[in-house]
Amino acid sequence: MSKWFKFASVLVMLSMLIALGACAAPAPQVVEKVVTQVVEKEKVVEKIQTQVVEVEKPVVQTQVVEKTIEITQVPVTNMVYNSYQSDPAPRQVDADIVKMFQEKYPNITVTHSTVAHEDFKQAIRAYLTSSQPPDVMTWFAGNRARFFIDKGQILDISDVWSSEGWNESYPKGFQALSTVDGKQYFVPTSYYWWAVYYNKKVFDKLGLEPPETWEEFLQVCETLKENGVTPIVSGTKNAWPAAAWFDYLNMRVNGPEFHINLMLGKEKYDDPRVKKTFEYWAELLEKGYFIEDAAAYDWQDVIPELVQEKAGMYLMGQFVMDSIPEENKADFDFFRFPIIDPNVPIGEDAPTDGYFAAANAPHPDAAKAFLAYLGSKEAQEYVAKELKRLPTNTEVDTSGFDPASQKGMELLKAADYIAQFYDRDTTPEMAEKGMAAFQAFWTDPTQIDTILADLEKERALIFAEE
Amino acid sequence: MTTATSTNRTGALQRAMLYVIVYALTLLWLVPVITALITALRTNDDILARGFWSAPTVFTLNNFVLAWTRGGLAHYLPNSFIITLPSLVFTLFLSSLAAYALSRFRFRFDRLILFIFVAGMMLPFQILLLPVFRLMNAIGLYNTYWALIIFHTAFQLGFCTFVLRNYMRTIPGEILEAARMDGCNEFRVYRQIMLPLTLPAMAALATLEFTWIFNDFLWALILIQDDALKPVTTGLAALRGQYVMDWTVIVAGSLIATVPTVLVFLFLQRYFIAGLTLGATKG
Amino acid sequence: MTATPVIPAEKARPARRAPRARSKSWWVPYVFLAIPLAMFLMWVIGPMIYSFYLSLTNWDGVSAPKLIGLRNYVRLFNDRVFWIAIANNAKWVVSFITAPVILGLALAMVLNRNIPGAKGIKSAFYSPYIIAPVVIGLIWGWMYQPANGLFNSVLRAVGVTDPPGWLADPRLATWCIIAAAIWRQVGYVMTLYLAGLQGVDPSLIDASMVDGANPWQAFRHVIWPLLSPVTVVVVVISIIDSLRSFDLVFVMTRGGPANSSSVLANMMYIEAFNNYKMGYGAAIAVVLFLISAGFIFIYLWQTLRSELEY
């Protein structure tokens, strides 16, 4: 029986904790409301926030609040910023930007929280429809943002655009990405390029030059293979790296216009032009230029192959450099995806990230101030310097950028069309089906006709509902 | 131990073989766990440069530090306890009430009620995410600890009631009957006879429930938006990037988060797997 | 599963109270049930019924749901992935009611004796259960890597020239995930059985041993019948877990390559949360629920029938 008593006494202790939990539960909201009316110095605000965590002393908490009311002159707003920048480097920069903003606006405090990218995509629907949405959120430019804008969930920030002069300082393309029915809802802040990254040491050893045309590319692949080096790596466990191949091949073979119409559901997947794209792809697969069993690897899993010079090339976004070990970074460079048909306009993938605010944001003015800062020259310069991503604001002085960023900018300047990426240009559902189809094709290229027929069925169904 | 020596010897041999098999299997089982431990001590660059199965060139505790600071674990851990412990206590208490009723009485709708409890635990809970979110939001509990505590309690009731009911049915009725003869009312029978007897099952359940509720991530993601209230799993999840995965830090962070669960297991295991000591002293 | 004569009847089966003996306290069970049942109805059954309704709509999680009749179901039954997922779920169920149950029971039997280091062994087997799925996915993913992974390195070392692609092979992917899931599940089953064994009076086993039964006979005729309530729990839980299996699939393959390792719960999650098709996702959940309900009916019918004998 004594055992039982021990067990029971633990339970009693636990239930005392419940009481604490109960006290703690409503506290943060109360504090938050007070903070919005009150306070002047950051220090005091911090004090209150620590009190929120120390739930045992609700009494002390009220005292602090009373005291602050006495000192107060300027109203302080405590706004919430939820970010999906969960990759280590961008996450750090994100935090720095928040700090810089707070230094500039001492009457606004930002509660910044980072949510893993995949989870953010799912939580955002709860955020936006809840009674207490976050004020500012990260999001993708283009179709994915449009989904929420069309449903009236996003704050109209046309006034920010005009007061900040962004209608002049942002290129037309980015303005279009942010505008629906003549009003602006979005602040695009940074973008990055995709390209074929390669290990210079491998190329040098075999006397290879970065290829510009498809024939040259095939020749490079052949040479690498003959020398026992895997020509192209990819990790398609998560299917998006495969989608990059589709994007580029389709844009090079059929041109960006056809590609984007296909993304919008206006062209068919069983179109002979799409099949032609896959024939180019099949050639690479059948010649064994890709790493074997690509679907067994996550995209980062194959980086050791590149670093150890067992493999040559990787079609990837600029962020691949974040994953190359520090000591090997200098060995890597990139070239534009080879031109297949010189008569076809050049399209490139350059996904753009940015920010928007919730339509029923509790602190719309603070949200707008923060958005204005995020789009400003100062913030963008910092992001570009730290992350090597490209700024959207043309006021940013790019002359001091490192050679890789310069080259990336040139690459995009030379493009006739900038696409966002497969899973951003088409609907989420279509992207899911399409990427599964790419995986199926990768496993067995001979099934191409069945795969495309199935995909077309899906497309018809998905876009009929739109 | 009164059997003949010859059988004793073969018995010993058999036992030795059994031990060898069990120990070998244990080691095999630990391979991925040990791999995880080693991974947490390496650097990401080391893995990215040399491959995962290469011999580690550096050992560092830095990942734990990084996970602790970058994941904000110090900030999130108290929240995890504030959410988990009340949920655990409420669930065990309420489900033991329900299980007692369902195992010891026959009444109208008893089977229907049992079916409701069992059925509720079968639905893939992910589909409840948004409906429950809307309900919480409508009654003003969204973004509070209570949202998670109430939901975890309610949701785990199905499983706990089911397990406890089956366990309580194995307890001989005579013991309870004797107490009733002594004039105990049902609530005293429940509290003084039934609860102590269900201790092993309660302890096993407490272990499992603690593991589940403490490790919950999806519900915290959907029901809480305020960073000050989030449990540790959200901090850990945010270590995963959109593209770049700092594997070693992720593994280190997860290992830190297992510590409370391990402690609970070690503490409670004596109640449900203390060997046969109880019986031995009796016999 | 009827008891053998070895067991004293009062040990094996609890007596039920006669229903009408105390009709004045008919309300007692309802008092016990009031709060738990109310909570469960409000927070689980209610939202569950709401998601049944959602399965008849085109809800995207943001706008107002619009009724579209049975369109989601029609589409589901014509979805090739749905049938792949059903087949994979069947593989999960069969694997889960065999391997972890047998292994978990065997371990519990061994560990219930005084084997040296029992505590450590118990913790070792429970440890996979507390490791985050993400980490399990990472480590097992690396073990399965075709080029340098643990399994293929071992296979090559013993002379296999063309080892399989594991997770990249559509025929193997599901089994690979199931293996990892079994690895995780065994400790859990073991825990439930260890708790169950506490209810078995060791003197019974000793008695049967003295009667000349060998350990297997003692197990088969004494312990196994006594453990049958636990076994029922374990099997029901295994079925439910296997049908709901989701996290490992999601982290190890996300259902790929080309949906070959998809299961219903994973498919539901992707449709509802990635594709913003809450209605369609709800329809998948309803189908999954109906399949589980089928199993539960069998269970209830079996146990309640045997309980009625008293």
Side-chain angles (χ1 to χ4, degrees), chain A residues 6-7 10, chain B residues 207 261-272:
Chain A
K6 253 192 244 169
F7 184 63
V10 173
Chain B
T207 313
T261 332
V262 171
L263 292 179
V264 168
F265 179 80
L266 290 178
F267 174 72
L268 287 178
Q269 74 163 343
R270 78 181 84 166
Y271 295 106
F272 61 91

Side-chain angles (χ1 to χ4, degrees), chain A residues 40 64 125 228 252:
Chain A
E40 162 226 36
V64 172
R125 280 178 298 170
R252 292 289 184 268

Side-chain angles (χ1 to χ4, degrees), chain A residues 268-286:
Chain A
K268 295 182 166 152
Y269 273 94
D270 57 3
D271 191 295
R273 285 173 287 184
V274 177
K275 196 177 171 196
K276 198 171 152 205
T277 299
F278 279 92
E279 279 161 3
Y280 278 90
W281 199 348
E283 186 185 356
L284 298 177
L285 285 164
E286 278 152 12

Side-chain angles (χ1 to χ4, degrees), chain A residues 118-126 128 139-140 143-145 147-148 151 356 427-429 432 465-466, chain B residues 130, chain C residues 57-63 268-281:
Chain A
E118 277 295 314
D119 307 321
F120 190 98
K121 283 200 271 184
Q122 152 190 345
I124 189 165
R125 280 178 298 170
L128 287 172
W139 199 239
F140 317 99
N143 274 346
R144 295 254 173 151
F147 177 84
F148 293 111
K151 296 192 162 51
F356 56 31
T427 71
E429 193 184 11
E432 201 65 42
E465 286 175 12
E466 292 292 305
Chain B
L130 287 184
Chain C
T57 71
N58 66 349
W59 195 37
D60 56 18
V62 179
S63 353
M268 184 277 284
Y269 189 83
I270 288 178
E271 290 292 350
F273 290 101
N274 195 76
N275 301 354
Y276 296 180
K277 297 271 168 197
M278 285 301 295
Y280 194 49

Side-chain angles (χ1 to χ4, degrees), chain A residues 54-75:
Chain A
E54 280 173 42
V55 287
E56 299 101 301
K57 303 168 190 164
V59 188
V60 182
Q61 193 172 56
T62 37
Q63 282 172 355
V64 172
V65 172
E66 278 163 14
K67 240 188 256 168
T68 52
I69 291 169
E70 286 161 24
I71 342 168
T72 333
Q73 299 302 326
V74 192

Side-chain angles (χ1 to χ4, degrees), chain B residues 15 18-19 22-23 25-26 28-33 35-36 39 47 52-53 94 97-98 100-111 113-132 134-136 139 141 150-151 153-155 157-159 162-163 165-167 169-174 177 180 186-187 190 200-201 204 207-208 211-212 215 218 240 247 250-251 254 258 261-262 265-266 269 271-276 279-280, chain C residues 10-11 13-17 19 22 27-33 35-37 39-45 47-48 50-52 54 59 61-63 65 103 107 110 112-117 119 121-132 134-135 138-140 142-143 148-150 182-183 186 188 191-192 194-200 202 229 232-233 236-237 240 244 246 265 268-269 272-273 278 281-282 285 288-289 292-293 296-297 299-300 304 307-308 310:
Chain B
R15 185 168 299 175
L18 183 70
Y19 285 3
V22 171
Y23 291 139
L25 199 62
T26 310
L28 203 64
W29 233 249
L30 282 176
V31 167
V33 180
T35 313
T39 307
I47 295 178
F52 181 74
W53 295 102
L94 292 176
L97 288 179
Y100 186 67
L102 290 170
S103 65
R104 290 290 150 185
F105 296 90
R106 190 176 304 164
F107 50 98
R108 203 190 272 255
F109 305 129
D110 56 350
R111 251 160 271 179
I113 292 173
L114 178 62
F115 179 75
I116 286 175
F117 277 116
V118 180
M121 70 190 219
M122 292 182 316
L123 199 75
F125 64 86
Q126 295 88 356
I127 203 65
L128 300 180
L129 282 169
L130 287 184
V132 169
R134 293 195 123 192
L135 192 53
M136 289 288 180
I139 61 176
L141 285 175
I150 289 176
F151 183 78
T153 304
F155 187 72
L157 275 177
F159 176 77
F162 170 68
V163 172
R165 175 196 174 271
N166 276 33
Y167 193 88
R169 285 193 57 80
T170 64
I171 287 164
E174 287 73 14
E177 209 51 53
R180 288 195 188 99
E186 282 305 330
F187 299 96
Y190 156 78
T207 313
L208 292 170
T211 310
W212 290 335
N215 289 339
L218 275 179
R240 307 197 313 267
W247 291 315
I250 293 170
V251 175
S254 307
T258 60
T261 332
V262 171
F265 179 80
L266 290 178
Q269 74 163 343
Y271 295 106
F272 61 91
I273 39 181
L276 294 178
Chain C
E10 75 276 8
K11 278 282 175 203
R13 296 200 179 134
R16 248 175 195 267
R17 298 186 57 210
R22 297 181 183 200
W27 46 270
V28 169
Y30 298 104
V31 173
F32 275 98
L33 276 168
I35 299 173
L37 190 62
M39 276 191 84
F40 201 69
L41 288 176
M42 169 143 184
W43 294 107
V44 181
I45 304 298
M48 187 165 120
Y50 185 65
S51 60
F52 286 9
L54 286 179
W59 195 37
V62 179
S63 353
L103 255 171
L107 277 168
V110 173
N112 204 32
R113 300 161 154 269
N114 292 323
I115 177 167
K119 251 191 176 169
I121 298 171
K122 285 165 201 163
S123 310
F125 279 95
Y126 193 70
S127 61
Y129 202 67
I130 58 176
I131 293 182
V134 174
V135 175
L138 278 180
I139 304 284
W140 279 77
W142 281 321
M143 298 205 299
N148 316 306
L150 186 66
I182 290 173
W183 170 77
V186 166
Y188 169 34
T191 307
L192 289 173
L194 281 168
L197 280 170
Q198 294 299 292
V200 178
V232 168
V233 172
V236 170
I237 288 170
I240 292 171
R244 290 201 312 201
F246 155 74
M268 184 277 284
Y269 189 83
F273 290 101
M278 285 301 295
L288 189 47
F289 173 77
S292 325
I296 299 307
F297 267 122
Y299 148 74
L300 279 179
L304 294 181
E307 284 171 6
L308 273 183
Y310 294 85

Side-chain angles (χ1 to χ4, degrees), chain A residues 346-365:
Chain A
I346 297 170
E348 298 286 344
D349 271 339
T352 309
D353 287 315
Y355 301 83
F356 56 31
N360 53 342
H363 315 104
D365 295 330

Side-chain angles (χ1 to χ4, degrees), chain A residues 3 118-119 121-122 124-126 129 139 144 147-148 151 153 237-238 292-298 301 305 310 428-430 432-433 435-437 439-441 443 454 458 461-462 465-466, chain C residues 60-63 71 75 79-81 137-138 141-142 144-148 162 164-165 167-170 250-254 256-259 269-278 280:
Chain A
K3 263 188 196 174
E118 277 295 314
D119 307 321
K121 283 200 271 184
Q122 152 190 345
I124 189 165
R125 280 178 298 170
T129 54
W139 199 239
R144 295 254 173 151
F147 177 84
F148 293 111
K151 296 192 162 51
Q153 304 285 349
K237 187 188 269 182
N238 286 307
E292 248 184 90
D293 298 317
Y297 302 94
D298 194 18
D301 289 342
E305 302 283 312
K310 290 182 195 160
E429 193 184 11
M430 191 66 234
E432 201 65 42
K433 311 284 181 203
M435 293 195 295
Q439 273 186 332
F441 167 75
T443 317
D454 282 352
E458 296 283 359
L461 205 59
I462 290 164
E465 286 175 12
E466 292 292 305
Chain C
D60 56 18
V62 179
S63 353
R71 283 233 309 266
R75 185 172 168 198
D79 194 333
R80 207 173 40 86
V81 182
L138 278 180
W142 281 321
Y144 282 129
Q145 269 186 15
N148 316 306
D162 189 21
L167 291 175
D169 186 334
F250 202 75
V251 296
M252 288 178 76
T253 61
R254 211 169 183 272
N259 296 316
Y269 189 83
I270 288 178
E271 290 292 350
F273 290 101
N274 195 76
N275 301 354
Y276 296 180
K277 297 271 168 197
M278 285 301 295
Y280 194 49

